[in-house]
Amino acid sequence: MDIEIKDQEVEKIMEQIKENIGRKKALGVYSDEEIEWVKKMDGKVDSAHGPADHGFQEQLRQMNLDWELKNKVPILSHRRILGPVIIFSKKALRRLTKPYINLILGEQVVFNANATRVINQLTAKLGGLEGQNNNLTKRHEELFDKVDLWNAETRQDHAQLKLEHDQLFDKVDRWNAETRQDHAQLKLEHDQLFNKVDRWNAETRQDHAQLRLEHDQLFNKVDRWNAETRQQQAELNRNHAELVQHHQALFDKVDLWNAEVRQDHAQLAQHHQALFDKVDQWNEGLQKELAQLKDRHLTLYQKYTALQQENILLKRRLDIILSDLRKKTHLKPELARSLVIHQERLMDHAYFLFEHTYRGLPDEIRERFKVYLPYFSGMSDILDVGCGRGEFLELMREQGIPARGIDISEDMVYYCQQRGLVVEQKEALDYLTSLSDSSLGGVFAAQLLEHLPSPSLQEFIKLCYQKMQPGGIFIAETINPLSIISAIRNFYLDLSHIKPLHPEALRFLLEYLGFKEVQTLFLSPFSPELILQKLIPENSLGKEYQGLLELMNRNIDQINEVLYGYQDYAIIAKRG
Amino acid sequence: MIQIHQLLPNLDYGDAISNHALEIRNFLRQWGYQSNIYVQYIHPRMSKECFYYQEHKEVSSPQNITIYHYSIGTDIQDYVKKIPDKKVMIYHNITPHWFFEGFNHQLTHLLEAGRAELKNFSAMPLLCLADSEYNLQELKALGYKRVEILPIIQDFSKFSRQPAPEIMSKYNDGNINIIYVGRIVPNKKYEDLIKTFYFYHKYINPRSRLILVGSYQGMEQYFIALQDLIKKLNLDQVIFTGQVALEELIAYYRSSHIFLSMSEHEGFGVPFLEAMFFQLPIVAFKSSAVPYTLGRSGVLVKEKRYEELAELVDTILKDQGLRERIIENQSARLKDFDKEKLLPQLKVYIEMITD
């Protein structure tokens, strides 16, 4: 082979090629025959291997030739003279008719072209499919070969497995024989064991007979002991009968003693009855005396009530008379002023009566005031402002503490003076103003502050501070408005009350005006039977009700605190 | 101003002759000529680029120049004869009819008649433009007086597209791919490619395949015969792709290692330029326009000894130095077909007529 290449190594390449081929041929890779065989193969369709038989190929070839329907018949004539004329006219005719024929045949030609193309493509595809089919057949044959190979291998494996199986069976037989031998051995040992057990059984039976004999002997012994015991019991029975006789004798003695005691008792009962009779007689006498006293007391009370009513009527009458007198126009001014004072005093007298009726008895009040004693202990120049019936002053006198009082009510002042107390009829603010500063050892004012209007209250406290010595004690008692019941029942009971005083407001006022060590003392609790009663838990109640009960009791405590709190309180302060 | 129009049988998308015609038209328009393309068959994608040849009548004039691409079996040839324009013929060659004997009788007849007619109308064009020296010689032998060479103008920028990924992944598998590109027609001697591949695949490198890219439409008989041959040789690695899209063509070129041609008749051989572009070493049978197109590049064989051809292919694939030298020469040759070089030649030829 000759090659053209713009390269200096052309010859070297060709030599290499030739050498390669020579080596391949020498090695028998391929032969000259094979090269010749390939060379001779042409690119023409081989009907033997083609997609269809030769007739089909011929028809296809014809179809490819004829689809265009062109008139391929050459126009010829064999006539010597007329020939050219005929040819000319035939050609002219063909040329004239050609457009019309083409018009008609045009569509047919298109169809033929398409049909031919489709058939050509189908043929090509058929060729391809046949190629695929041959490939598949080839693969199928290969698979069959493989299957045969596998079969052969499987047979070999099977033989191998059978051999192994037989060997296993032999082993199993051997194991069986061994197992049988072991079994016989075990049976022998088992029989020997059974014999031993039989021997032990026989021995046990012998032991049992021996034991039974010993048992019978023991029973005989027990029987003997029983007989002896019975004899002893008969003896004991005899002893018992003797003891019963002794006992009976003793009982007889006790009965005798009893009769004697009863006789003594009857005598004592007679004495006792006589004494009772005497006490009854005395009782009767005392009863009679009590009835007489009660009658007398009733008579006195009726007289007292009648006097009180009479007193009220007289006061009313006096009031009317005073009013009538004040209406007179020609009265002297002094007389008119006197009339006004008399009428006011009449009202004070009414308050005296009111306090006597509602405030409580003087002894009770005095008892209550004892709570303040420790504060005034060892002091002097104590002023009781609004001393009323003088219960506090009496208490001071008892304790030897020098004290004096003032009150606006003539009746109160009179009442106190009658009892020997140092009391003057004075208006509080005027009186305090008149005193020299730091002259008082202490001030006491019970149930007074609630009677004062706000400016007077401040003025009063300020004056007290001013007139007291340093270290002096100021105590004021008033109704506790934090207790709703006390506020309703006590504060509003008295028409002359102006303003209830909150404990904290009062404390603030005192501290504001200079007092030190201010403390509040709550007093006069309601007696327990007057307040709301708590629920008493019962053991039978379930736990859930216990909780409810406790809640309820807490609520009751809170309501009691608000409704039934302490009725009064005292504010206690020191001048610094 | 004279107008210069082209007449050709069909304007296809991606076809070498159609691209050639478009390049010529664009160049003429750049010069300032009014220039259109008139055809008998229009590819739907090209409808904006051309007109039906019947419309050419409206621009036909003795002052104008008509460039007609010589063809057979169409009405264009008959039409050209009737118009008064100054005529320039572009000749892409006619395949000798004997190649088709036994495969397509109709085509065989047409080719024979076409060649006869080519001789009869040798006086008609003022100028002939042949694709190659080979075509020039043929025309001169047929009696044509003024013949010049204008190689087919190719725009290689179209190859910068992404290759079809499925083909890239399928064929870049370590196997050697031997490629040939061209319509499946008997003159291209596919049977010789297959026979060469037989020796290469069976006795040198079983890890190899022969990729044959081209349409076999209208050549079913030949295709069947090739299948038959492959079957007889018991080969299973010969791939017929059929007609392919541009992306697929790029992928096949990029997946291949060597370009092998056994063609015995080429008017020009556009795929040789493509192989040069894709830097594939070319081994080609020396025939017709093939040596003119390759110049002094590639490897030309004068005989077809398949076992030796197989060894030659193997040598080129194994000898890297040799392969690189071949590719270098091919790349140098490819520059001769640069359109910047070719189009000025066309200008000279046109001026020859207008002056």
Side-chain angles (χ1 to χ4, degrees), chain A residues 283-434:
Chain A
N283 234 356
E284 227 168 292
L286 282 170
Q287 287 282 345
K288 271 178 199 161
E289 272 177 46
L290 185 66
Q292 284 167 359
L293 279 169
K294 269 186 184 168
D295 284 345
R296 218 180 289 166
H297 177 258
L298 187 66
T299 315
L300 279 170
Y301 187 76
Q302 280 168 347
K303 272 186 191 166
Y304 169 75
T305 310
L307 278 169
Q308 217 171 28
Q309 282 171 347
E310 195 185 335
N311 190 12
I312 290 164
L313 286 171
L314 281 170
K315 270 189 198 138
R316 226 182 131 217
R317 172 72 49 188
L318 189 57
D319 195 31
I320 293 163
I321 292 164
L322 284 168
S323 295
D324 287 347
L325 278 170
R326 281 172 68 186
K327 282 174 195 162
K328 301 285 182 188
T329 51
H330 56 274
L331 281 177
K332 284 181 182 173
E334 294 84 18
L335 184 60
R337 210 163 36 247
S338 175
L339 282 174
V340 170
I341 292 163
H342 281 299
Q343 207 164 10
E344 279 172 3
R345 282 183 184 167
L346 201 62
M347 282 309 292
D348 286 348
H349 191 67
Y351 189 72
F352 180 82
L353 274 175
F354 168 80
E355 201 164 61
H356 231 72
T357 314
Y358 294 101
R359 176 90 202 263
L361 295 170
D363 289 349
E364 289 169 19
I365 302 290
R366 202 163 61 232
E367 201 59 33
R368 269 172 44 198
F369 282 168
K370 279 184 179 171
V371 75
Y372 304 121
L373 283 177
Y375 299 100
F376 293 112
S377 160
M379 289 198 164
S380 59
D381 291 319
I382 308 299
L383 178 68
D384 183 357
V385 184
C387 61
R389 292 175 301 187
E391 295 95 336
F392 178 77
L393 291 172
E394 275 187 338
L395 200 62
M396 290 288 107
R397 190 166 61 186
E398 276 173 21
Q399 296 294 318
I401 298 168
R404 62 183 193 275
I406 56 166
D407 203 292
I408 194 105
S409 163
E410 191 185 13
D411 291 323
M412 294 295 189
V413 172
Y414 177 75
Y415 180 87
C416 289
Q417 286 169 348
Q418 287 301 307
R419 291 173 162 265
L421 297 169
V422 185
V423 173
E424 287 177 278
Q425 189 191 357
K426 295 282 184 190
E427 198 280 322
L429 295 178
D430 290 347
Y431 179 74
L432 282 168
T433 309
S434 73

